[in-house]
Amino acid sequence: MSIKDVADRAGVAVGTVSNVLNHPARVSAATRGRVQGAIDELGFVRNDAARQLRAGQSRTIGLIVLDVGNPFFSSLARAAEDCAAENGSTVVLGDSGQDAGRETRYIDVFEQQRVQGMLISPVGDVGPRVEALRARGMPVVLVDRVDAQRRCSSVSVDDVAGGYMAVRHLLAAGRRRIVFVGTRAGYRQVADRLAGARQAVGEQDGAVLEVVEAEAMTVLAGRDVGGEIAQRRREELPGGIFCANDLLAIGVMQAVLLIRGLRIPEDIALIGYDDIDFSASAVVPLSSVRKPTTLMGRTAVELLLEEIEEPASRRRQVIFDPELVERGSTQAPVRAVG
Amino acid sequence: MSIKDVADRAGVAVGTVSNVLNHPARVSAATRGRVQGAIDELGFVRNDAARQLRAGQSRTIGLIVLDVGNPFFSSLARAAEDCAAENGSTVVLGDSGQDAGRETRYIDVFEQQRVQGMLISPVGDVGPRVEALRARGMPVVLVDRVDAQRRCSSVSVDDVAGGYMAVRHLLAAGRRRIVFVGTRAGYRQVADRLAGARQAVGEQDGAVLEVVEAEAMTVLAGRDVGGEIAQRRREELPGGIFCANDLLAIGVMQAVLLIRGLRIPEDIALIGYDDIDFSASAVVPLSSVRKPTTLMGRTAVELLLEEIEEPASRRRQVIFDPELVERGSTQAPVRAVG
DNA sequence: ACGTGCCAATGAAACGATTCAAAAGCACGT
DNA sequence: ACGTGCTTTTGAATCGTTTCATTGGCACGT
């Protein structure tokens, strides 16, 4: 089933069928109708491989994420798809699952498919890989990671600013003893959030920051930390707690509310990071810091299209500030008058 | 950059390069080495479009899901990818986002790409679409949905059995007054779960089932329902509550624990459905009913490959039983002896 | 020296869509 | 009748890979 069959059925040349599909204006209405009829009758579907072979380029963008199950990536993917669709391209998604082997496999597959370009949220050091891709003229944009050597464009988030915003918010609510809950493990992101917290505390007279280490970035680990904090003497209780992610914060909340009947936010204000779906539905809705996922997804695609259209243009590192999401865990609800 | 360039560089014919790539045994070691060297020096990457055009078929499977953000689908996708990889194929993922238009776009794109076959978790009625695909010889397997006309294979879950298991579990713990929390809205799945619950209650002497309607399938709606139930007189309290999904159950739990200090599971045993990530980390770990996602993903790919290899073989509707996940919300923890 | 097998290497043909120079068709004026 | 300028249609060439019938080279037996 090819364009040839359609041409025969409609009694025209193959070039005419191609024109109906790609430049309808060049074909007379009568012929167009006959060809269209033949296409419908035969159920003809274009062969993308042949198309692409001739064109030398596809209309596809490859997106490789660390984990499709992670809401950050799934919503980024959604935004990228929308933006690509508006520009006549399609996004195909590959899930590396934090595995360098799978990442490599997807890069290979996408390169063989001659995608227009790739958006990669890299597992480890992709320096050499990216170098090789670029040498062959394949546009690449890094997501949620900057390229130290500035060889390719990237979109990422300023976690230092996020940490700063979170603690600034606690300080603005009058809290002075602040606890940061995180892990030691070398996550750059956790370290950045802590750095931002330090900066905010440093700028505020009389404010002190205490760093508490959790076993992991999970609800359970948060509950342990929360239990420890809740049992302190009242004068040693912090007025505000900033957790390096929402899971930790939810664990802390569970412990603080249940173990000693402390109130959130009256006794302790609590803020997390990431704004996962569940945060809004916690017993006390959890304040958090959110990455601008949609904006990041769209921007990544735009940077990529820019590079595709203008390969010589300068690479750009776009760094977004996160957004503060204020909910009940840091603010007493406004009481309705009446 | 093509196979021709490699051939020139290595001083051989194009056919030889192709043989090195596809049938290495046919080529002498010396030649193979020279060709391999040329490939590495030039950084040659196969052109999949040309390959596929010649072969007439790709090594790609298209997977269209309702929502990549939904853990059920992301973990199903992961399993499908793994299973496909073991069989030398690659899965590309399309997210319809419950939108029929997007679904159609992905079906079209995949068909143009001449994927080996598609796994579809359909938005609405795909009957006509699937019919057309099959007429053109495109293998399709439905996911999480059975084809009433049995025209294509499918993998799905028996939600009636799931509802039955959940309520059977509550009854086994000695509870007799059971409440089912769900929505009226025409979700077939909710109706199935209720049917299973009815069946289990019907088989148990002295058991009664009450159906309570929630506004939506959310934590907030669950909290409303839970609040209403918790305020009942003690003799009207149910001994067990079965919620149509985990979000509802978590809302119910929040309300029941906080509003009147009732204990879970001592006063009320609670079970949800879906086993979302968060259920294990709830204040009282939530019992739930889980779909065998991994098995479903693998089976879907296997059914598809079966149809690809043996187009005349019979279509099969595989229906899995869900799994009961027992946690603290239905069972008092066993106390350590000592 | 010469046929006989074998293995290795060759290169033209094919896949299906697009492109584009060339041809055909048409209307109109002279 | 014929040229002019226009639109419409044609079909060969092209993209990069794989396939496979054919050729080339070599060792061995006679």
Side-chain angles (χ1 to χ4, degrees):
Chain A
M1 170 64 59
S2 77
I3 224 178
K4 178 70 165 40
D5 301 298
V6 175
D8 290 350
R9 164 77 84 132
V12 299
V14 292
T16 303
V17 177
S18 176
N19 279 333
V20 169
L21 293 170
N22 301 294
H23 310 278
R26 288 190 197 160
V27 182
S28 71
T31 312
R32 207 185 312 143
R34 257 198 354 271
V35 171
Q36 198 52 255
I39 289 176
D40 294 341
E41 282 170 43
L42 296 173
F44 167 76
V45 175
R46 282 236 259 303
N47 184 324
D48 206 46
R51 237 179 145 202
Q52 196 172 306
L53 173 58
R54 179 64 232 247
Q57 228 216 177
S58 70
R59 296 297 302 170
T60 299
I61 292 172
L63 168 58
I64 304 176
V65 301
L66 292 177
D67 176 15
V68 279
N70 182 327
F72 167 64
F73 289 115
S74 57
S75 104
L76 183 129
R78 179 74 60 89
E81 283 161 18
D82 289 342
C83 184
E86 286 163 23
N87 290 279
S89 291
T90 309
V91 168
V92 300
L93 195 52
D95 180 4
S96 72
Q98 312 249 28
D99 179 87
R102 291 173 69 121
E103 179 180 87
T104 298
R105 267 227 315 282
Y106 274 112
I107 292 179
D108 288 344
V109 168
F110 287 157
E111 203 179 1
Q112 292 180 12
Q113 291 182 350
R114 299 289 192 274
V115 295
Q116 299 178 274
M118 299 187 206
L119 307 176
I120 307 180
S121 155
V123 175
D125 178 25
V126 279
R129 264 336 277 272
V130 168
E131 190 84 16
L133 285 173
R134 301 190 62 75
R136 284 178 228 126
M138 172 68 68
V140 175
V141 170
L142 295 187
V143 174
D144 206 29
R145 170 85 74 92
V146 294
D147 177 33
Q149 280 99 75
R150 306 185 154 264
R151 284 163 306 197
C152 52
S153 295
S154 64
V155 294
S156 53
V157 171
D158 186 347
D159 276 315
V160 178
Y164 181 84
M165 291 165 72
V167 171
R168 211 34 258 150
H169 180 56
L170 294 174
L171 294 168
R175 317 298 166 129
R176 287 299 174 269
R177 294 182 61 90
I178 308 292
V179 165
F180 173 86
V181 182
T183 50
R184 167 174 308 184
Y187 289 115
R188 183 186 46 69
Q189 296 178 331
V190 175
D192 285 355
R193 290 164 199 184
L194 174 56
R198 283 230 159 81
Q199 190 187 334
V201 167
E203 290 173 14
Q204 175 74 53
D205 286 345
V208 293
L209 183 71
E210 175 192 354
V211 176
V212 174
E213 227 171 78
E215 289 292 316
M217 304 277 277
T218 61
V219 174
L220 213 65
R223 216 181 285 164
D224 291 342
V225 170
E228 185 273 310
I229 293 175
Q231 274 155 14
R232 295 181 181 182
R233 291 198 318 252
R234 188 155 276 273
E235 62 271 27
E236 281 179 3
L237 280 180
I241 301 179
F242 169 36
C243 295
N245 80 0
D246 283 356
L247 293 176
L248 278 172
I250 287 169
V252 168
M253 180 185 293
Q254 291 175 347
V256 165
L257 290 179
L258 286 173
I259 292 182
R260 221 177 74 184
L262 291 169
R263 288 163 309 161
I264 292 177
E266 292 82 354
D267 299 314
I268 298 181
L270 179 64
I271 186 166
Y273 206 106
D274 288 344
D275 191 35
I276 60 178
D277 274 352
F278 200 80
S279 299
S281 319
V283 180
V284 177
L286 181 69
S287 294
S288 193
V289 176
R290 166 167 58 199
K291 300 179 185 182
T293 21
T294 303
L295 194 53
M296 290 176 76
R298 302 193 76 92
T299 306
V301 170
E302 278 161 15
L303 287 176
L304 191 63
L305 293 175
E306 191 177 306
E307 180 169 349
I308 291 165
E309 275 161 37
E310 188 63 76
S313 62
R314 248 170 59 74
R315 299 298 135 250
R316 298 198 286 147
Q317 323 291 318
V318 179
I319 299 176
F320 289 103
D321 272 353
E323 261 176 89
L324 184 67
V325 184
E326 304 183 16
R327 297 207 183 90
S329 72
T330 51
Q331 286 185 314
V334 178
R335 302 211 174 268
V337 178
Chain B
M1 169 64 62
S2 75
I3 224 177
K4 178 72 166 40
D5 301 299
V6 175
D8 290 350
R9 165 77 84 132
V12 297
V14 291
T16 304
V17 177
S18 176
N19 279 333
V20 169
L21 294 170
N22 302 293
H23 310 278
R26 289 190 198 161
V27 182
S28 71
T31 312
R32 206 185 310 143
R34 255 195 359 269
V35 172
Q36 199 50 257
I39 288 175
D40 294 343
E41 283 170 42
L42 296 173
F44 166 77
V45 176
R46 282 235 261 297
N47 184 324
D48 207 46
R51 218 166 169 223
Q52 199 171 302
L53 173 58
R54 182 62 234 247
Q57 227 217 178
S58 71
R59 295 297 302 171
T60 300
I61 292 172
L63 168 58
I64 304 175
V65 301
L66 292 176
D67 176 14
V68 279
N70 181 327
F72 167 64
F73 289 115
S74 56
S75 104
L76 183 129
R78 179 73 61 89
E81 282 161 19
D82 288 342
C83 185
E86 287 163 22
N87 289 279
S89 291
T90 309
V91 168
V92 300
L93 197 51
D95 181 3
S96 71
Q98 313 249 28
D99 179 88
R102 291 174 68 120
E103 178 179 87
T104 299
R105 268 228 315 285
Y106 274 112
I107 293 179
D108 288 345
V109 168
F110 286 156
E111 203 180 0
Q112 292 179 14
Q113 290 182 352
R114 299 288 193 272
V115 295
Q116 300 178 273
M118 300 187 205
L119 307 177
I120 307 179
S121 155
V123 174
D125 178 24
V126 279
R129 264 338 276 271
V130 168
E131 190 83 15
L133 285 173
R134 303 190 60 77
R136 285 179 228 122
M138 174 68 68
V140 175
V141 170
L142 296 187
V143 174
D144 208 29
R145 171 87 73 92
V146 293
D147 176 34
Q149 280 99 74
R150 308 186 153 261
R151 283 163 307 197
C152 53
S153 296
S154 64
V155 294
S156 54
V157 170
D158 185 347
D159 276 315
V160 177
Y164 181 85
M165 290 164 71
V167 171
R168 213 31 261 151
H169 181 54
L170 295 175
L171 295 169
R175 317 298 165 129
R176 287 300 174 266
R177 294 182 60 90
I178 309 291
V179 165
F180 174 86
V181 182
T183 50
R184 169 173 310 183
Y187 288 115
R188 184 186 44 71
Q189 296 178 333
V190 175
D192 285 355
R193 290 164 200 182
L194 174 56
R198 283 230 158 82
Q199 189 187 334
V201 166
E203 289 174 13
Q204 176 74 54
D205 286 344
V208 293
L209 183 71
E210 175 192 353
V211 177
V212 174
E213 226 172 79
E215 288 293 314
M217 304 278 277
T218 63
V219 174
L220 214 64
R223 217 182 285 163
D224 290 342
V225 170
E228 184 272 310
I229 292 175
Q231 275 154 14
R232 296 181 181 182
R233 291 198 319 251
R234 187 155 278 273
E235 62 271 26
E236 281 179 3
L237 280 180
I241 302 180
F242 169 37
C243 296
N245 81 1
D246 282 356
L247 294 175
L248 279 172
I250 287 169
V252 168
M253 181 186 292
Q254 290 175 348
V256 165
L257 290 178
L258 287 173
I259 293 182
R260 219 175 74 182
L262 291 170
R263 290 164 306 161
I264 292 178
E266 291 82 353
D267 298 315
I268 298 181
L270 179 65
I271 186 165
Y273 206 105
D274 288 346
D275 191 36
I276 62 177
D277 274 352
F278 201 79
S279 299
S281 320
V283 180
V284 178
L286 180 69
S287 294
S288 194
V289 177
R290 168 167 57 199
K291 300 178 185 183
T293 24
T294 302
L295 193 54
M296 288 176 76
R298 302 193 76 92
T299 306
V301 170
E302 280 162 15
L303 287 176
L304 191 63
L305 293 175
E306 190 176 306
E307 180 168 349
I308 290 164
E309 275 161 37
E310 187 65 72
S313 61
R314 249 169 59 74
R315 302 296 136 250
R316 297 199 285 147
Q317 325 288 320
V318 179
I319 300 175
F320 289 103
D321 272 352
E323 261 176 90
L324 183 68
V325 184
E326 304 182 17
R327 297 207 182 90
S329 73
T330 51
Q331 286 185 315
V334 178
R335 303 211 173 269
V337 179

